[in-house]
Amino acid sequence: MWKGVFMETFLQASDFVGVTFWLVSVGMVAATVFFFYEGLRVKSEWRTSLVIAGLITLIAAIHYYYMRDYWVHTGESPIVYRYIDWLLTVPLQMIEFYIILVAAGIAVSSNAFWRLLVGTLIMLIGGYMGENQWISPLMGLIIGFAGWAIIIWEIFRGEASQASMNNEIVKTCFNAMRIVVLVGWIIYPLGYISGTMMGAIDVNSLNIIYNLADFINKILFGLFIWNAAVKASAK
Ligand SMILES: *C/C=C(C)/C=C/C=C(C)/C=C/C1=C(C)CCCC1(C)C
């Protein structure tokens, strides 16, 4: 009996998916400390962007602890936790596009930021409703894609994108960040299509894929900002 309780309560070495939840939470904590600490040595204009990069990984770390627990106890996908995490961290990532322009002293209206926020909400709400079958999963996918398209338009063609051309360091950073949004993010709708819509992959694979995606899309994204902040501060 005690063995049974133990098995259900603690992460087992044989639980590969559970271990990936664990590793990502540790990676997120380490990244948070790194971003906060590095924020102290860059020029003050760039500090906010590193603090936000650290908040993104901190929020993710906390959710990953919860998600690991949920997974260990139920063996099911922690959908609600994932979406709450995305709902908090993706808008913060959108703010970063705006904040790095401000750090470099480039004027851009806050409308650019609001469009990014609206795109994010449409994308995630559509996906969540489809994931829970409140609307058809296909409809959820279409709404989600529409939101993502608004974001992509803004960062590739919109006001913020044009403004980023004014500064070499910001331009490079902005470009790297939008590649993450265009390429790195593809993994999420692919997971949605193959998992929620087609049932073509099992919950194990789906969670490993999402975990790897978060690791790349949150930590690498922050490292690009860190790189720009350090370069701009060396001048
Ligand atoms: C740190 C977390 C990130 C960067 C999460 C990003 C999530 C997405 C890009 C989700 C996209 C989706 C669609 C484009 C279609 C509908 C289904 C979603 C919500 C999975």
Side-chain angles (χ1 to χ4, degrees), residues 139-150:
M139 185 51 88
L141 182 76
I142 293 170
I143 296 174
F145 267 121
W148 190 21
I150 294 175

PDB file of all heavy atoms in Angstrom, residues 139-150:
ATOM      1  N   MET A 139     -12.558  25.004 -35.667  1.00  0.00           N
ATOM      2  CA  MET A 139     -12.874  26.415 -35.484  1.00  0.00           C
ATOM      3  C   MET A 139     -11.845  27.060 -34.543  1.00  0.00           C
ATOM      4  O   MET A 139     -11.364  28.163 -34.794  1.00  0.00           O
ATOM      5  CB  MET A 139     -14.300  26.534 -34.922  1.00  0.00           C
ATOM      6  CG  MET A 139     -14.811  27.944 -34.801  1.00  0.00           C
ATOM      7  SD  MET A 139     -14.616  28.881 -36.326  1.00  0.00           S
ATOM      8  CE  MET A 139     -16.116  28.472 -37.141  1.00  0.00           C
ATOM      9  N   GLY A 140     -11.505  26.349 -33.468  1.00  0.00           N
ATOM     10  CA  GLY A 140     -10.507  26.855 -32.519  1.00  0.00           C
ATOM     11  C   GLY A 140      -9.174  27.093 -33.216  1.00  0.00           C
ATOM     12  O   GLY A 140      -8.494  28.100 -32.980  1.00  0.00           O
ATOM     13  N   LEU A 141      -8.836  26.172 -34.112  1.00  0.00           N
ATOM     14  CA  LEU A 141      -7.568  26.296 -34.841  1.00  0.00           C
ATOM     15  C   LEU A 141      -7.594  27.530 -35.754  1.00  0.00           C
ATOM     16  O   LEU A 141      -6.631  28.299 -35.799  1.00  0.00           O
ATOM     17  CB  LEU A 141      -7.325  25.036 -35.681  1.00  0.00           C
ATOM     18  CG  LEU A 141      -5.999  25.028 -36.447  1.00  0.00           C
ATOM     19  CD1 LEU A 141      -4.836  24.725 -35.507  1.00  0.00           C
ATOM     20  CD2 LEU A 141      -6.017  24.007 -37.571  1.00  0.00           C
ATOM     21  N   ILE A 142      -8.714  27.710 -36.430  1.00  0.00           N
ATOM     22  CA  ILE A 142      -8.826  28.838 -37.366  1.00  0.00           C
ATOM     23  C   ILE A 142      -8.735  30.169 -36.609  1.00  0.00           C
ATOM     24  O   ILE A 142      -7.982  31.065 -36.992  1.00  0.00           O
ATOM     25  CB  ILE A 142     -10.141  28.741 -38.176  1.00  0.00           C
ATOM     26  CG1 ILE A 142     -10.073  27.522 -39.098  1.00  0.00           C
ATOM     27  CG2 ILE A 142     -10.376  30.021 -38.980  1.00  0.00           C
ATOM     28  CD1 ILE A 142     -11.395  27.168 -39.776  1.00  0.00           C
ATOM     29  N   ILE A 143      -9.473  30.269 -35.500  1.00  0.00           N
ATOM     30  CA  ILE A 143      -9.417  31.494 -34.694  1.00  0.00           C
ATOM     31  C   ILE A 143      -7.987  31.703 -34.176  1.00  0.00           C
ATOM     32  O   ILE A 143      -7.440  32.796 -34.229  1.00  0.00           O
ATOM     33  CB  ILE A 143     -10.421  31.420 -33.517  1.00  0.00           C
ATOM     34  CG1 ILE A 143     -11.854  31.345 -34.053  1.00  0.00           C
ATOM     35  CG2 ILE A 143     -10.265  32.628 -32.588  1.00  0.00           C
ATOM     36  CD1 ILE A 143     -12.914  31.115 -32.991  1.00  0.00           C
ATOM     37  N   GLY A 144      -7.385  30.603 -33.688  1.00  0.00           N
ATOM     38  CA  GLY A 144      -6.022  30.683 -33.175  1.00  0.00           C
ATOM     39  C   GLY A 144      -5.041  31.176 -34.241  1.00  0.00           C
ATOM     40  O   GLY A 144      -4.199  32.043 -33.982  1.00  0.00           O
ATOM     41  N   PHE A 145      -5.190  30.658 -35.454  1.00  0.00           N
ATOM     42  CA  PHE A 145      -4.311  31.078 -36.545  1.00  0.00           C
ATOM     43  C   PHE A 145      -4.513  32.551 -36.889  1.00  0.00           C
ATOM     44  O   PHE A 145      -3.558  33.256 -37.216  1.00  0.00           O
ATOM     45  CB  PHE A 145      -4.523  30.211 -37.796  1.00  0.00           C
ATOM     46  CG  PHE A 145      -3.582  29.036 -37.873  1.00  0.00           C
ATOM     47  CD1 PHE A 145      -4.054  27.729 -37.932  1.00  0.00           C
ATOM     48  CD2 PHE A 145      -2.203  29.244 -37.887  1.00  0.00           C
ATOM     49  CE1 PHE A 145      -3.183  26.642 -37.984  1.00  0.00           C
ATOM     50  CE2 PHE A 145      -1.324  28.166 -37.956  1.00  0.00           C
ATOM     51  CZ  PHE A 145      -1.821  26.863 -37.994  1.00  0.00           C
ATOM     52  N   ALA A 146      -5.780  33.001 -36.796  1.00  0.00           N
ATOM     53  CA  ALA A 146      -6.057  34.412 -37.102  1.00  0.00           C
ATOM     54  C   ALA A 146      -5.313  35.312 -36.117  1.00  0.00           C
ATOM     55  O   ALA A 146      -4.710  36.319 -36.501  1.00  0.00           O
ATOM     56  CB  ALA A 146      -7.562  34.657 -37.043  1.00  0.00           C
ATOM     57  N   GLY A 147      -5.342  34.933 -34.830  1.00  0.00           N
ATOM     58  CA  GLY A 147      -4.633  35.715 -33.816  1.00  0.00           C
ATOM     59  C   GLY A 147      -3.131  35.723 -34.062  1.00  0.00           C
ATOM     60  O   GLY A 147      -2.471  36.766 -33.991  1.00  0.00           O
ATOM     61  N   TRP A 148      -2.620  34.555 -34.387  1.00  0.00           N
ATOM     62  CA  TRP A 148      -1.172  34.432 -34.662  1.00  0.00           C
ATOM     63  C   TRP A 148      -0.800  35.292 -35.874  1.00  0.00           C
ATOM     64  O   TRP A 148       0.245  35.963 -35.892  1.00  0.00           O
ATOM     65  CB  TRP A 148      -0.854  32.955 -34.917  1.00  0.00           C
ATOM     66  CG  TRP A 148       0.609  32.606 -34.984  1.00  0.00           C
ATOM     67  CD1 TRP A 148       1.660  33.322 -34.468  1.00  0.00           C
ATOM     68  CD2 TRP A 148       1.183  31.447 -35.601  1.00  0.00           C
ATOM     69  NE1 TRP A 148       2.849  32.672 -34.717  1.00  0.00           N
ATOM     70  CE2 TRP A 148       2.582  31.512 -35.410  1.00  0.00           C
ATOM     71  CE3 TRP A 148       0.660  30.349 -36.281  1.00  0.00           C
ATOM     72  CZ2 TRP A 148       3.447  30.531 -35.885  1.00  0.00           C
ATOM     73  CZ3 TRP A 148       1.533  29.362 -36.745  1.00  0.00           C
ATOM     74  CH2 TRP A 148       2.910  29.456 -36.551  1.00  0.00           C
ATOM     75  N   ALA A 149      -1.694  35.309 -36.871  1.00  0.00           N
ATOM     76  CA  ALA A 149      -1.429  36.099 -38.088  1.00  0.00           C
ATOM     77  C   ALA A 149      -1.330  37.591 -37.752  1.00  0.00           C
ATOM     78  O   ALA A 149      -0.490  38.299 -38.323  1.00  0.00           O
ATOM     79  CB  ALA A 149      -2.528  35.848 -39.115  1.00  0.00           C
ATOM     80  N   ILE A 150      -2.167  38.064 -36.828  1.00  0.00           N
ATOM     81  CA  ILE A 150      -2.108  39.480 -36.433  1.00  0.00           C
ATOM     82  C   ILE A 150      -0.717  39.782 -35.842  1.00  0.00           C
ATOM     83  O   ILE A 150      -0.081  40.780 -36.177  1.00  0.00           O
ATOM     84  CB  ILE A 150      -3.200  39.807 -35.383  1.00  0.00           C
ATOM     85  CG1 ILE A 150      -4.586  39.659 -36.019  1.00  0.00           C
ATOM     86  CG2 ILE A 150      -2.999  41.209 -34.800  1.00  0.00           C
ATOM     87  CD1 ILE A 150      -5.744  39.834 -35.042  1.00  0.00           C
TER      88      ILE A 150
END
